[in-house]
Amino acid sequence: MSLPVPEASSARADHTGQIRVKTFPGESLTLPRWQTPHGPGNTIRRLNMVHFHIPDMTCGSCARAVIKAVQSVDPEACIETDPPARTVRVESVADVSALLAVLGEAGYPAERRPEATAG
């Protein structure tokens, strides 16, 4: 199980054996020890949020091919496609260069877009 944790996070066990994960100033989340990102078997995943413009993605079938390509690099990636706008939003641990390469190999060359203009 992989959980995204901000870089500035800290974890501390309390008297009940639960872990309190401090995520942002003033906010925290209490989890049983077995569910914490710092517990045995868990890894911390650094997620990249990337927006792409894919001119050749025109329909749902194209979108499914794009999703399959991205998942071949990161099976746990969160992917949102918008075929009419020809945009894709990907939240993944994979490098942007790896995502661009796999999309090109799948026949859907992409260009990275800033988040503000991705819609």
Side-chain angles (χ1 to χ4, degrees):
M1 177 178 182
S2 300
L3 299 172
V5 176
E7 283 187 16
S9 70
S10 62
R12 193 172 328 155
D14 67 11
H15 68 281
T16 64
Q18 293 187 328
I19 300 290
R20 185 171 199 86
V21 179
K22 189 165 185 80
T23 54
F24 297 101
E27 296 180 13
S28 62
L29 174 67
T30 302
L31 300 169
R33 185 177 300 275
W34 60 272
Q35 285 185 327
T36 64
H38 304 291
N42 292 330
T43 59
I44 297 175
R45 293 170 36 111
R46 300 285 179 222
L47 297 176
N48 299 313
M49 172 71 74
V50 192
H51 288 82
F52 296 110
H53 176 70
I54 303 177
D56 296 336
M57 185 183 70
T58 58
C59 64
S61 182
C62 298
R64 283 188 293 278
V66 165
I67 290 170
K68 185 176 179 179
V70 171
Q71 288 177 333
S72 73
V73 174
D74 179 5
E76 296 181 30
C78 178
I79 307 155
E80 292 179 15
T81 60
D82 184 353
R86 299 179 182 183
T87 60
V88 176
R89 185 184 68 82
V90 178
E91 193 172 313
S92 172
V93 296
D95 289 335
V96 174
S97 58
L99 295 172
L100 287 167
V102 76
L103 289 168
E105 290 170 11
Y108 295 95
E111 47 189 63
R112 186 173 181 180
R113 291 283 170 93
E115 183 175 343
T117 62

